[in-house]
Amino acid sequence: MSFITGTYTRNDVKRGCRTVNEAFQQMAGRLMVALDYPDAQQAEQFIRQLEGIPCYIKVGMQLFYSAGPAFVKQLKSRGYSVFLDLKMHDIPNTVRGGAESITRLGVDMFNVHAAGGRSMMSAARAGAEAAISADSSLAMPLIIAVTQLTSTDQTTMNTELGIPGTVQDTVVRYAQLTREAGLDGVVASPLEVPAIRAVCGSDFKTITPGIRPAGSATGDQSRVLTPGQAIVQGSSHIVVGRPITAAPDPRAAAKHIIEEMLQV
């Protein structure tokens, strides 16, 4: 598929896009590229290869602990939407303070662990709101909760984590708790998205890692789908790391994944 302004398909019109290029830009905003790098220099070298693709950038623990808040602010100054993926899980007061500090960075999204409970998740929203109250130039970020990691299968969940039942049952229960706590959505496998939407509604965000393009290795992920399958399931955004960052041509890999997302 080529992205040439002025060429469009019936599906593009259905999406409300006048051109294939607009459809591409819109879908690119639903792709979150995980910057799984140990330092800012390597991350910067990679980002230069994505220039012009308006994807979300996900900054995780390894990079944030190395490069710090300054790197996040740099991404924002270049116009990127940023998901700060630190998975906070602590007592409510500590999470409230962490959320306040994160919101001051101007990030577009951050997360906590749903396993921390309703009070902890509500505290995260309170912290973000406190930052907004103190600085009206800030925008309220989306706050989401991790349900079960996509590396966790049912055996691990039951025998090691001590949580009975199926993975989907646990994910849906955590999603309901997240919504009750006033947060915007969850991180979950794309396999669980339909069940989450059935109980939490279509406006509830579903951020889905565990995405692997057709024919690629699953690595340490247990519950995976292809980009196109994830969009069909209803994922709000998909998170992709190694299939892009470890590709010989990361830019081509990212564009190919967006093409897969469009073929629905």
Side-chain angles (χ1 to χ4, degrees):
M1 186 176 191
S2 61
F3 301 100
I4 304 173
T5 301
T7 305
Y8 58 91
T9 68
R10 193 180 311 166
N11 283 341
D12 299 318
V13 174
K14 187 177 179 180
R15 295 186 187 98
C17 299
R18 289 175 298 169
T19 68
V20 171
N21 185 59
E22 287 179 352
F24 176 81
Q25 299 287 314
Q26 188 178 86
M27 195 62 80
R30 297 173 66 181
L31 170 63
M32 294 180 162
V33 179
L35 293 187
D36 297 324
Y37 291 99
D39 55 55
Q41 182 178 3
Q42 292 184 51
E44 174 61 31
Q45 290 174 351
F46 169 78
I47 290 170
R48 283 199 292 267
Q49 299 180 74
L50 297 183
E51 199 73 37
I53 299 178
C55 55
Y56 242 95
I57 297 294
K58 184 177 84 71
V59 176
M61 286 182 272
Q62 182 184 24
L63 181 57
F64 186 75
Y65 294 159
S66 169
F71 185 76
V72 172
K73 291 180 178 179
Q74 179 187 347
L75 288 172
K76 288 300 302 175
S77 71
R78 295 167 68 171
Y80 284 105
S81 295
V82 176
F83 169 23
L84 187 55
D85 179 22
L86 300 183
K87 300 181 179 72
M88 289 190 290
H89 188 174
D90 213 310
I91 63 173
N93 191 59
T94 298
V95 169
R96 185 187 190 281
E100 188 171 354
S101 295
I102 286 172
T103 302
R104 289 197 194 106
L105 295 178
V107 302
D108 301 273
M109 182 184 294
F110 71 88
N111 59 1
V112 300
H113 265 289
R118 185 187 290 108
S119 294
M120 188 207 77
M121 289 191 281
S122 295
R125 175 160 289 279
E129 290 172 344
I132 300 296
S133 295
D135 184 352
S136 61
S137 70
L138 295 170
M140 187 70 181
L142 294 171
I143 309 174
I144 61 175
V146 177
T147 53
Q148 285 292 315
L149 301 175
T150 50
S151 58
T152 301
D153 57 22
Q154 185 166 327
T155 299
T156 300
M157 191 184 77
N158 294 160
T159 63
E160 296 181 22
L161 303 183
I163 301 174
T166 67
V167 171
Q168 179 165 297
D169 287 343
T170 300
V171 167
V172 171
R173 184 172 69 252
Y174 279 160
Q176 289 176 300
L177 189 66
T178 299
R179 191 169 183 86
E180 290 169 8
L183 302 194
D184 301 291
V186 291
V187 180
S189 158
L191 296 170
E192 287 103 41
V193 168
I196 292 169
R197 285 185 172 273
V199 298
C200 294
S202 59
D203 61 327
F204 193 67
K205 303 296 183 185
T206 48
I207 314 305
T208 57
I211 305 298
R212 291 292 182 268
S216 64
T218 59
D220 57 0
Q221 304 281 1
S222 296
R223 306 188 327 275
V224 302
L225 286 180
T226 67
Q229 289 170 335
I231 295 300
V232 169
Q233 291 285 83
S235 295
S236 304
H237 297 79
I238 67 170
V239 180
V240 184
R242 285 163 289 184
I244 295 176
T245 59
D249 185 342
R251 185 180 186 84
K255 292 179 73 173
H256 177 72
I257 286 171
I258 297 168
E259 289 177 9
E260 285 195 43
M261 295 166 71
L262 283 164
Q263 301 304 311
V264 296

